[in-house]
Short mmCIF file of all heavy atoms in Angstrom, two decimals:
data_model
loop_
_atom_site.label_atom_id
_atom_site.label_comp_id
_atom_site.label_asym_id
_atom_site.label_seq_id
_atom_site.Cartn_x
_atom_site.Cartn_y
_atom_site.Cartn_z
N ARG A 1 36.44 39.51 93.42
CA ARG A 1 35.08 39.15 93.04
C ARG A 1 34.84 39.56 91.57
O ARG A 1 35.37 40.60 91.12
CB ARG A 1 34.04 39.83 93.81
CG ARG A 1 33.89 39.28 95.27
CD ARG A 1 34.70 40.12 96.18
NE ARG A 1 34.19 41.42 96.39
CZ ARG A 1 34.91 42.50 96.88
NH1 ARG A 1 36.22 42.27 97.15
NH2 ARG A 1 34.45 43.70 96.96
N LYS A 2 34.14 38.78 90.89
CA LYS A 2 33.88 38.98 89.48
C LYS A 2 32.69 39.98 89.32
O LYS A 2 31.66 39.82 89.95
CB LYS A 2 33.52 37.66 88.73
CG LYS A 2 33.36 37.81 87.21
CD LYS A 2 33.14 36.43 86.63
CE LYS A 2 33.00 36.60 85.09
NZ LYS A 2 32.74 35.23 84.41
N ALA A 3 32.94 40.96 88.47
CA ALA A 3 31.85 42.00 88.28
C ALA A 3 30.70 41.31 87.57
O ALA A 3 30.85 40.44 86.75
CB ALA A 3 32.34 43.14 87.42
N ARG A 4 29.44 41.74 87.95
CA ARG A 4 28.24 41.19 87.31
C ARG A 4 27.41 42.33 86.65
O ARG A 4 27.43 43.47 87.11
CB ARG A 4 27.34 40.48 88.37
CG ARG A 4 28.09 39.47 89.10
CD ARG A 4 27.19 38.52 89.97
NE ARG A 4 26.44 39.36 90.92
CZ ARG A 4 25.53 38.82 91.71
NH1 ARG A 4 25.28 37.54 91.62
NH2 ARG A 4 24.87 39.61 92.50
N ARG A 5 26.77 41.97 85.57
CA ARG A 5 25.98 42.98 84.90
C ARG A 5 24.60 43.17 85.60
O ARG A 5 23.94 42.17 85.91
CB ARG A 5 25.66 42.60 83.37
CG ARG A 5 24.94 43.64 82.59
CD ARG A 5 24.86 43.29 81.16
NE ARG A 5 26.19 43.28 80.59
CZ ARG A 5 26.89 44.40 80.20
NH1 ARG A 5 26.35 45.56 80.28
NH2 ARG A 5 28.09 44.26 79.62
N ILE A 6 24.28 44.37 85.96
CA ILE A 6 23.02 44.70 86.59
C ILE A 6 22.28 45.79 85.77
O ILE A 6 22.86 46.35 84.90
CB ILE A 6 23.19 45.15 88.09
CG1 ILE A 6 24.01 46.44 88.09
CG2 ILE A 6 23.88 44.04 88.89
CD1 ILE A 6 23.91 47.21 89.38
N ARG A 7 21.12 46.09 86.21
CA ARG A 7 20.35 47.07 85.50
C ARG A 7 19.56 47.97 86.53
O ARG A 7 18.86 47.46 87.35
CB ARG A 7 19.31 46.45 84.59
CG ARG A 7 18.64 47.42 83.60
CD ARG A 7 17.51 46.71 82.81
NE ARG A 7 16.35 46.42 83.69
CZ ARG A 7 16.00 45.22 84.07
NH1 ARG A 7 16.78 44.15 83.77
NH2 ARG A 7 14.96 45.00 84.90
N ILE A 8 19.69 49.24 86.43
CA ILE A 8 19.01 50.22 87.25
C ILE A 8 17.96 50.86 86.38
O ILE A 8 18.26 51.54 85.42
CB ILE A 8 19.91 51.28 87.85
CG1 ILE A 8 21.07 50.66 88.63
CG2 ILE A 8 19.10 52.18 88.82
CD1 ILE A 8 20.65 49.80 89.83
N ASP A 9 16.66 50.64 86.61
CA ASP A 9 15.60 51.12 85.83
C ASP A 9 15.17 52.61 86.22
O ASP A 9 14.73 53.38 85.34
CB ASP A 9 14.36 50.23 85.91
CG ASP A 9 14.66 48.88 85.30
OD1 ASP A 9 15.33 48.82 84.26
OD2 ASP A 9 14.12 47.84 85.88
N GLU A 10 15.27 52.89 87.53
CA GLU A 10 14.83 54.17 87.95
C GLU A 10 15.46 54.52 89.34
O GLU A 10 15.56 53.61 90.21
CB GLU A 10 13.32 54.16 88.09
CG GLU A 10 12.66 55.45 88.45
CD GLU A 10 11.16 55.30 88.62
OE1 GLU A 10 10.65 54.28 89.07
OE2 GLU A 10 10.39 56.29 88.17
N ILE A 11 15.86 55.75 89.45
CA ILE A 11 16.23 56.28 90.81
C ILE A 11 15.48 57.57 91.03
O ILE A 11 15.73 58.54 90.18
CB ILE A 11 17.75 56.53 90.84
CG1 ILE A 11 18.54 55.27 90.57
CG2 ILE A 11 18.13 57.01 92.33
CD1 ILE A 11 20.05 55.40 90.65
N VAL A 12 14.61 57.60 91.95
CA VAL A 12 13.81 58.81 92.24
C VAL A 12 14.26 59.49 93.56
O VAL A 12 14.36 58.78 94.61
CB VAL A 12 12.29 58.47 92.36
CG1 VAL A 12 11.50 59.76 92.62
CG2 VAL A 12 11.83 57.82 90.94
N LEU A 13 14.55 60.75 93.50
CA LEU A 13 14.91 61.52 94.73
C LEU A 13 13.63 61.86 95.47
O LEU A 13 12.91 62.72 95.06
CB LEU A 13 15.71 62.76 94.37
CG LEU A 13 16.19 63.64 95.56
CD1 LEU A 13 17.05 62.91 96.46
CD2 LEU A 13 16.84 64.91 94.97
N GLU A 14 13.34 61.15 96.57
CA GLU A 14 12.08 61.33 97.30
C GLU A 14 12.23 62.44 98.42
O GLU A 14 11.30 63.00 98.81
CB GLU A 14 11.66 60.05 97.93
CG GLU A 14 11.29 58.95 96.95
CD GLU A 14 9.91 59.22 96.26
OE1 GLU A 14 9.30 60.16 96.65
OE2 GLU A 14 9.54 58.41 95.41
N GLY A 15 13.43 62.65 98.84
CA GLY A 15 13.66 63.64 99.89
C GLY A 15 15.16 63.79 100.22
O GLY A 15 15.97 63.03 99.75
N ARG A 16 15.50 64.82 100.96
CA ARG A 16 16.87 65.09 101.24
C ARG A 16 16.99 65.94 102.53
O ARG A 16 16.01 66.64 102.96
CB ARG A 16 17.62 65.77 100.15
CG ARG A 16 16.94 67.10 99.71
CD ARG A 16 17.73 67.75 98.63
NE ARG A 16 19.03 68.18 99.03
CZ ARG A 16 19.80 69.12 98.42
NH1 ARG A 16 19.38 69.56 97.26
NH2 ARG A 16 20.96 69.42 98.93
N SER A 17 18.12 65.81 103.16
CA SER A 17 18.48 66.74 104.26
C SER A 17 19.93 67.19 104.00
O SER A 17 20.40 66.97 102.83
CB SER A 17 18.39 66.01 105.61
OG SER A 17 19.42 65.00 105.77
N ALA A 18 20.53 67.79 105.00
CA ALA A 18 21.91 68.27 104.71
C ALA A 18 22.89 67.13 104.47
O ALA A 18 23.84 67.30 103.76
CB ALA A 18 22.40 69.08 105.95
N ASP A 19 22.60 65.92 105.05
CA ASP A 19 23.57 64.85 104.90
C ASP A 19 22.91 63.47 104.57
O ASP A 19 23.49 62.45 104.76
CB ASP A 19 24.49 64.74 106.05
CG ASP A 19 23.70 64.40 107.37
OD1 ASP A 19 22.40 64.41 107.33
OD2 ASP A 19 24.36 64.18 108.43
N THR A 20 21.60 63.50 104.17
CA THR A 20 20.98 62.24 103.78
C THR A 20 20.19 62.43 102.40
O THR A 20 19.78 63.53 102.15
CB THR A 20 19.99 61.74 104.84
OG1 THR A 20 18.91 62.73 105.01
CG2 THR A 20 20.74 61.45 106.15
N LEU A 21 20.07 61.31 101.76
CA LEU A 21 19.27 61.25 100.51
C LEU A 21 18.23 60.12 100.68
O LEU A 21 18.59 59.03 101.14
CB LEU A 21 20.05 61.01 99.27
CG LEU A 21 21.12 61.95 98.92
CD1 LEU A 21 21.92 61.48 97.66
CD2 LEU A 21 20.58 63.29 98.69
N SER A 22 16.98 60.36 100.43
CA SER A 22 15.95 59.33 100.46
C SER A 22 15.61 59.03 98.99
O SER A 22 15.19 59.93 98.23
CB SER A 22 14.68 59.83 101.16
OG SER A 22 14.97 60.10 102.55
N LEU A 23 15.83 57.77 98.60
CA LEU A 23 15.75 57.38 97.19
C LEU A 23 14.79 56.25 97.04
O LEU A 23 14.66 55.36 97.91
CB LEU A 23 17.09 56.95 96.62
CG LEU A 23 18.26 57.92 96.81
CD1 LEU A 23 19.52 57.26 96.30
CD2 LEU A 23 18.01 59.22 96.06
N GLU A 24 14.10 56.18 95.87
CA GLU A 24 13.28 55.01 95.47
C GLU A 24 13.98 54.42 94.27
O GLU A 24 14.28 55.15 93.29
CB GLU A 24 11.89 55.46 95.09
CG GLU A 24 10.94 54.32 94.74
CD GLU A 24 10.33 53.71 96.01
OE1 GLU A 24 10.43 54.32 97.10
OE2 GLU A 24 9.85 52.49 95.85
N ILE A 25 14.40 53.17 94.37
CA ILE A 25 15.26 52.53 93.34
C ILE A 25 14.55 51.30 92.75
O ILE A 25 14.13 50.42 93.58
CB ILE A 25 16.61 52.16 93.91
CG1 ILE A 25 17.34 53.35 94.43
CG2 ILE A 25 17.41 51.40 92.87
CD1 ILE A 25 18.60 53.09 95.15
N ALA A 26 14.38 51.28 91.43
CA ALA A 26 13.87 50.07 90.77
C ALA A 26 15.10 49.48 90.05
O ALA A 26 15.76 50.14 89.29
CB ALA A 26 12.77 50.42 89.81
N CYS A 27 15.30 48.14 90.21
CA CYS A 27 16.49 47.52 89.67
C CYS A 27 16.24 46.01 89.35
O CYS A 27 15.23 45.47 89.66
CB CYS A 27 17.63 47.66 90.65
SG CYS A 27 17.31 46.90 92.28
N SER A 28 17.29 45.47 88.64
CA SER A 28 17.26 44.09 88.33
C SER A 28 17.67 43.24 89.52
O SER A 28 18.20 43.78 90.50
CB SER A 28 18.21 43.79 87.19
OG SER A 28 19.51 44.03 87.55
N LYS A 29 17.40 41.95 89.47
CA LYS A 29 17.85 41.04 90.53
C LYS A 29 19.39 41.04 90.56
O LYS A 29 20.09 41.34 89.61
CB LYS A 29 17.34 39.60 90.20
CG LYS A 29 17.91 39.03 88.94
CD LYS A 29 18.83 37.85 89.20
CE LYS A 29 19.35 37.22 87.96
NZ LYS A 29 20.36 36.16 88.19
N GLY A 30 19.88 40.78 91.69
CA GLY A 30 21.34 40.78 91.88
C GLY A 30 22.00 42.13 92.07
O GLY A 30 23.23 42.19 92.18
N THR A 31 21.19 43.18 92.18
CA THR A 31 21.78 44.48 92.45
C THR A 31 22.03 44.71 93.96
O THR A 31 21.17 44.40 94.74
CB THR A 31 20.76 45.60 92.00
OG1 THR A 31 20.59 45.48 90.58
CG2 THR A 31 21.33 47.02 92.21
N TYR A 32 23.24 45.14 94.24
CA TYR A 32 23.56 45.46 95.64
C TYR A 32 23.36 46.91 95.89
O TYR A 32 24.14 47.78 95.36
CB TYR A 32 25.01 44.98 95.97
CG TYR A 32 25.08 43.50 96.24
CD1 TYR A 32 25.38 42.65 95.12
CD2 TYR A 32 24.81 42.98 97.37
CE1 TYR A 32 25.46 41.31 95.26
CE2 TYR A 32 24.82 41.57 97.55
CZ TYR A 32 25.16 40.78 96.51
OH TYR A 32 25.17 39.39 96.65
N ILE A 33 22.34 47.30 96.64
CA ILE A 33 22.03 48.68 96.94
C ILE A 33 23.17 49.36 97.69
O ILE A 33 23.47 50.54 97.55
CB ILE A 33 20.71 48.84 97.63
CG1 ILE A 33 19.55 48.23 96.78
CG2 ILE A 33 20.35 50.30 97.83
CD1 ILE A 33 19.37 48.82 95.44
N ARG A 34 23.76 48.60 98.59
CA ARG A 34 24.90 49.11 99.37
C ARG A 34 26.03 49.62 98.46
O ARG A 34 26.60 50.68 98.66
CB ARG A 34 25.45 48.14 100.39
CG ARG A 34 24.57 47.86 101.56
CD ARG A 34 25.03 46.77 102.45
NE ARG A 34 24.93 45.46 101.81
CZ ARG A 34 25.77 44.44 101.83
NH1 ARG A 34 26.95 44.63 102.47
NH2 ARG A 34 25.54 43.28 101.25
N THR A 35 26.35 48.83 97.44
CA THR A 35 27.37 49.21 96.52
C THR A 35 27.03 50.38 95.71
O THR A 35 27.73 51.29 95.42
CB THR A 35 27.70 48.03 95.60
OG1 THR A 35 28.17 46.92 96.36
CG2 THR A 35 28.79 48.40 94.58
N LEU A 36 25.66 50.38 95.26
CA LEU A 36 25.17 51.55 94.55
C LEU A 36 25.26 52.85 95.37
O LEU A 36 25.65 53.90 94.83
CB LEU A 36 23.73 51.26 94.12
CG LEU A 36 23.06 52.35 93.31
CD1 LEU A 36 23.75 52.60 91.92
CD2 LEU A 36 21.59 52.01 93.02
N ALA A 37 24.88 52.75 96.61
CA ALA A 37 24.96 53.96 97.49
C ALA A 37 26.41 54.43 97.62
O ALA A 37 26.62 55.63 97.60
CB ALA A 37 24.39 53.58 98.88
N GLU A 38 27.34 53.56 97.79
CA GLU A 38 28.72 53.89 97.82
C GLU A 38 29.16 54.64 96.58
O GLU A 38 29.84 55.65 96.62
CB GLU A 38 29.62 52.72 98.08
CG GLU A 38 29.49 52.14 99.43
CD GLU A 38 30.33 50.90 99.68
OE1 GLU A 38 30.44 50.15 98.68
OE2 GLU A 38 30.83 50.63 100.76
N ASP A 39 28.79 54.10 95.45
CA ASP A 39 29.18 54.69 94.19
C ASP A 39 28.51 56.08 93.95
O ASP A 39 29.21 57.03 93.45
CB ASP A 39 28.74 53.78 93.00
CG ASP A 39 29.52 52.47 92.93
OD1 ASP A 39 30.64 52.43 93.54
OD2 ASP A 39 29.10 51.52 92.26
N ILE A 40 27.28 56.19 94.43
CA ILE A 40 26.62 57.58 94.34
C ILE A 40 27.36 58.50 95.20
O ILE A 40 27.59 59.72 94.85
CB ILE A 40 25.15 57.43 94.74
CG1 ILE A 40 24.33 56.65 93.62
CG2 ILE A 40 24.51 58.80 94.98
CD1 ILE A 40 22.92 56.35 94.06
N GLY A 41 27.70 58.05 96.44
CA GLY A 41 28.41 58.97 97.39
C GLY A 41 29.77 59.49 96.78
O GLY A 41 30.15 60.65 96.94
N ARG A 42 30.47 58.54 96.19
CA ARG A 42 31.76 58.95 95.57
C ARG A 42 31.59 59.89 94.45
O ARG A 42 32.40 60.78 94.19
CB ARG A 42 32.53 57.69 95.17
CG ARG A 42 32.98 56.87 96.34
CD ARG A 42 33.42 55.44 95.93
NE ARG A 42 33.76 54.66 97.14
CZ ARG A 42 33.86 53.38 97.20
NH1 ARG A 42 33.71 52.65 96.10
NH2 ARG A 42 34.11 52.71 98.29
N ALA A 43 30.51 59.67 93.64
CA ALA A 43 30.25 60.56 92.50
C ALA A 43 29.92 61.98 92.99
O ALA A 43 30.19 62.92 92.29
CB ALA A 43 29.09 60.00 91.66
N LEU A 44 29.34 61.99 94.15
CA LEU A 44 28.98 63.38 94.81
C LEU A 44 30.21 64.00 95.52
O LEU A 44 30.18 65.12 95.97
CB LEU A 44 27.90 63.16 95.78
CG LEU A 44 26.52 62.83 95.17
CD1 LEU A 44 25.49 62.53 96.27
CD2 LEU A 44 25.96 63.93 94.31
#
């Protein structure tokens, strides 16, 4: 698949537990939140 340019305007940490994160995300059209969540998990 060809990579596409996206834009994340804001990620707010609204809450957390030992193994979950509750986030508020503002983004451009075409953003896949599932992919973003995977990337965040790998960064952690």
